[in-house]
Amino acid sequence: MVISPVQYIAIPLMAAFLIPLFGKLNKDLARIIPGLVLLYLSYISVVLMNQIISSNTIIVEIIAGWRPPWGINLVFSPLTGFLASMFSMLGFVIWMYTYNFKPEVDNAQKQKFYVLFMMLITGATGIVLTGDIFNLFVFLEITAISAYSLTAFYRERDGAEAAFKYLLIGSFSSTLILLAILLLYTQVGTLNMAEIALKMPGVDPFMKGVILILFFVGFGIESELFPLNGWSPDVYTQAPGPIGAIFAGMVVKAGIYGLVRVVFTLFDVKEILPLLVIIGMITMAVAEVIALRQGKLKRMLAYSSIGQMGLVAVAFGIGTHDSVFAAIFLMFNHAIIKGMLFLSGTYLVYNSTEKTLDDVDGIGKHLPFTSFLFALGALAIVGMPPFAGFWSKLYLLMAAADVRLMTVIAIILVVSVIEIVYYFRVIHRIYFRERISTIELKIPSFNAKLAMFILAIIIVAVGVYPDLISGFIERATTDLLDKQSYIQSVLSVGLK
Amino acid sequence: MIKQFFVILILSIVGYFLVDAFFKVPFGEKRDNVGNYYIEKSPVDLKVSNSVTAIVVNYRGFDTLGEVTVLFLAATGLGSIMYRRKQKGEKEVRAKNPSSRIIQIGSQILFPMIILLGGYVFIHGHLSPGGGFQGGAIIATASLLMLISYRKFKVSHNAITWIESIAGVVFASLGFIGLVLGRTFLENFLPTGELNDLLSGGIIGIIYIAVGFKVASELTGVIDTVLLNNRPEAQKEN
């Protein structure tokens, strides 16, 4: 079988249907299969990325034998391919971390966890890869349903409340997106994103406005933009630790991808970009100030995550080539760094019920490896050289300076100082306080340590040598901003 | 009070613009969209008289695979949220009170008929209104009827798992066979046959039967999980 992008979706789906059967044969198989699937997807990511970069084309795959606009198609371009590859590889690392995560959980529950875990990643990948707006909605639903269930996974926490809140807000978001797709279909008569983009100039401006606002609010909820992010702090706090890493690394990334795809490709309206900058700045400022006041580790990470998404929104909103480059770089950095913070932070407060900052006092002596990685992640996310976070922030500031947005630069810098304060406070607690808490510590298993270590290596490697990744991001930026070639490559596929 | 006022104000503004937008959509006029293509081509290309089925299972079959997965995840997620360790010697009871004789006998008569109707609806999905999702839902109502009328009626979770997994695997495998034999995932690789025949439409009929089994087993599982877990007082009675 030839390697093609549809395997990103089809293989995990097949595996998800098979897991309940394999679980009956052998209890461990249900845990191993997702890892094998994600490993294979990482492998095809390498092959496909090589293919599109060496031939300098976009892979458009038609499904069910109907070429666009009649059938559904998947688009593996430098941007979507980059994100899909990132999701698969990060997913594999997180799978490695979860393998022995909570041994006391019942096998029946573990099996369900791994099905939902794998589908959460598949849903996010599908959102990114699809070239059809309704298909995007279907994948959004797959992501959302797995996310709601995983939030409520632990019965002993208040996960149900957080999940219910998420369910209400998330369904609201899905409804708005569905209404937008409905209105869009009445206007352009097609669901294929390339053809929508082609027909968009002929649409009545009033309709265009209504549809764009519906999409904006819908995807804004998914990508944690202010004031639509009420669900996220609770969800991050209550969900299992590795799932927090997936939310930060993939789910909200897929949300912002949807927003950006709609704004840049489908509508191509530059008028809404300043709004994105303003909302991004408010998101960032509000979230970071609230993060400063948090007494619980995971809640603090959650608000920091919202703040970072605000930064990404600002970067996309500036809209120049350099700022979009910075935005995609920020997405990548935030995925790996916040992923590592969630993974290591989870072990710092593993057995604590309240998970407050007091629990990490003096933990550096007891869990030296995990504490060191958490500190490294904290330094990286605030943008200290020589870590990955430094470059993306620098590129963003330079891009903002190019278009003379001094207010934006000032706010980013002030917010960075706030970020430094609350992250350094945690580092101070870890290393320079005495441990008074009597909660038993959990030593990470070898595979969890390895997973965190891999992410740390990537953070340092990209920090020291950003050219490792900047070539891919440069292509992704060009791909996102070049609407015409996207339309042309999708609509010309399968023509004889 | 002031808060409610603002909520109503915002809702009416949003509502006004939404209603306005939807009223601007002309109703009942022939428009230029991909739907026309499906209506014209599905009897010719696919030999399927129910165009909705042709769209759902073939033109946009990938979406349906996604929707089937959504249902599967909803059932899995519900199972995970409602999960409870079984205590030793515990009797599982779904309905609180035994139903009257009339309901019990009535449901015995209705049960096979409902199953038959459900099967008919999904087997003829490409010929007449209905299909896998509808047929599956009909079959699930039959198990609901049995569960509420008999206290001792049991649904085998083992069987449900097998049916839903195999049905899902059949759907996905048909996709892969299309990828290997044709050129694309989910491609219709079987001969399409004659219009209005039971054996027509190639893989469409097979997929809808798989979907029917999957939906039926999943919804039955969902009903059973909810009935079982909704009643903590059921334990005290035993």
Side-chain angles (χ1 to χ4, degrees), chain A residues 183-476:
Chain A
L183 276 177
L184 196 56
Y185 182 73
T186 62
Q187 297 302 304
V188 293
T190 174
L191 293 166
N192 182 278
M193 299 212 282
E195 211 188 9
I196 293 172
L198 193 68
K199 289 186 175 170
M200 192 48 83
V203 175
D204 169 30
F206 170 77
M207 281 296 198
K208 228 170 156 175
V210 172
I211 298 168
L212 188 57
I213 289 169
L214 288 172
F215 270 129
F216 199 90
V217 178
F219 283 120
I221 291 172
E222 299 295 331
S223 49
E224 303 180 340
L225 294 181
F226 183 82
L228 311 164
N229 49 19
W231 57 273
S232 63
D234 285 354
V235 167
Y236 280 107
T237 317
Q238 303 299 339
I243 301 303
I246 296 186
F247 282 143
M250 304 177 202
V251 177
V252 295
K253 296 293 178 300
I256 196 113
Y257 165 83
L259 183 63
V260 166
R261 186 53 100 192
V262 165
V263 171
F264 280 73
T265 309
L266 258 55
F267 283 81
D268 199 14
V269 276
K270 294 279 175 273
E271 291 77 15
I272 199 148
L273 292 179
L275 182 66
L276 204 56
V277 174
I278 293 167
I279 289 181
M281 286 201 297
I282 299 174
T283 308
M284 192 163 75
V286 171
E288 301 287 17
V289 171
I290 298 177
L292 190 62
R293 296 177 48 220
Q294 292 307 311
K296 294 187 178 178
L297 186 70
K298 276 190 171 179
R299 254 190 125 71
M300 187 194 93
L301 290 177
Y303 279 108
S304 157
S305 182
I306 298 174
Q308 294 281 325
M309 289 320 286
L311 205 57
V312 173
V314 170
F316 275 122
I318 295 173
T320 60
H321 184 277
D322 288 354
S323 76
V324 172
F325 175 84
I328 299 173
F329 205 161
L330 271 170
M331 280 165 78
F332 171 77
N333 280 339
H334 181 236
I336 54 169
I337 302 174
K338 192 51 67 57
M340 200 187 74
L341 283 171
F342 268 107
L343 297 187
S344 53
T346 302
Y347 269 105
L348 295 183
V349 291
Y350 189 88
N351 279 329
S352 148
T353 45
E354 289 297 314
K355 309 204 185 290
T356 57
L357 288 178
D358 296 332
D359 295 327
V360 304
D361 283 358
I363 217 164
K365 290 193 194 90
H366 302 87
L367 287 175
F369 185 75
T370 317
S371 310
F372 175 72
L373 291 185
F374 185 87
L376 187 145
L379 290 175
I381 201 130
V382 298
M384 290 279 165
F387 300 114
F390 168 71
W391 294 104
S392 47
K393 233 174 210 176
L394 183 71
Y395 284 126
L396 173 57
L397 291 175
M398 276 162 36
D402 281 345
V403 285
R404 301 267 178 280
L405 283 169
M406 293 310 165
T407 338
V408 174
I409 297 179
I411 290 181
I412 293 174
L413 290 176
V414 170
V415 162
S416 297
V417 173
I418 301 176
E419 237 179 349
I420 291 175
V421 171
Y422 67 80
Y423 273 114
F424 279 30
R425 202 173 54 186
V426 179
I427 298 180
H428 171 83
R429 276 168 174 273
I430 291 176
Y431 283 107
F432 302 105
R433 288 245 186 127
E434 284 304 312
R435 183 168 160 78
I436 31 170
S437 157
T438 51
I439 296 165
E440 199 187 334
L441 293 173
K442 166 94 177 172
I443 310 289
S445 56
F446 173 74
N447 46 347
K449 279 185 179 168
L450 184 65
M452 293 187 271
F453 189 64
I454 292 172
L455 290 180
I457 298 255
I458 299 173
I459 293 170
V460 175
V462 173
V464 174
Y465 191 65
D467 288 352
L468 272 181
I469 198 81
S470 62
F472 294 107
I473 297 173
E474 182 62 41
R475 281 166 203 273

Side-chain angles (χ1 to χ4, degrees), chain A residues 5 8 45 48-49 52 58-59 74-78 80-81 84-85 129:
Chain A
Y8 278 104
S45 303
L48 288 172
M49 279 309 269
I52 55 169
I58 296 175
I59 303 176
L74 297 180
V75 184
F76 194 93
S77 70
T80 62
S85 314
L129 282 180

Side-chain angles (χ1 to χ4, degrees), chain A residues 10 13-14 16-18 20-21 24 62 64-66 70 106 109 112 119 132 134-135 149 155 185 189 206-207, chain B residues 20-21 24 33-35 37-38 58 60 63 69 72-73 77 80-81 83 85 158 161-162 165 168 172-173 184-185:
Chain A
L13 286 188
M14 183 79 150
F17 295 145
L18 281 171
L21 293 186
K24 289 190 187 302
I62 53 178
W66 302 102
W70 297 293
D106 290 2
Q109 283 288 78
K112 293 187 183 102
M119 294 329 290
D132 186 281
F134 186 77
N135 198 231
S149 330
R155 305 291 299 277
Y185 182 73
F206 170 77
M207 281 296 198
Chain B
D20 198 22
K24 282 206 167 122
N33 58 28
V34 287
Y37 176 89
Y38 297 144
N58 197 256
R60 305 191 61 88
D63 279 344
T69 313
F72 170 68
L73 288 174
S80 134
I81 291 170
Y83 178 76
R85 256 190 218 137
N158 214 2
T161 313
W162 277 95
S165 287
S173 309
T184 58
F185 189 74

Side-chain angles (χ1 to χ4, degrees), chain B residues 187-208:
Chain B
E187 183 155 318
N188 200 343
F189 59 87
L190 290 176
T192 47
E194 286 293 311
L195 188 67
N196 287 335
D197 267 10
L198 182 59
L199 294 175
S200 65
I203 62 170
I204 291 179
I206 308 173
I207 288 181
Y208 243 7

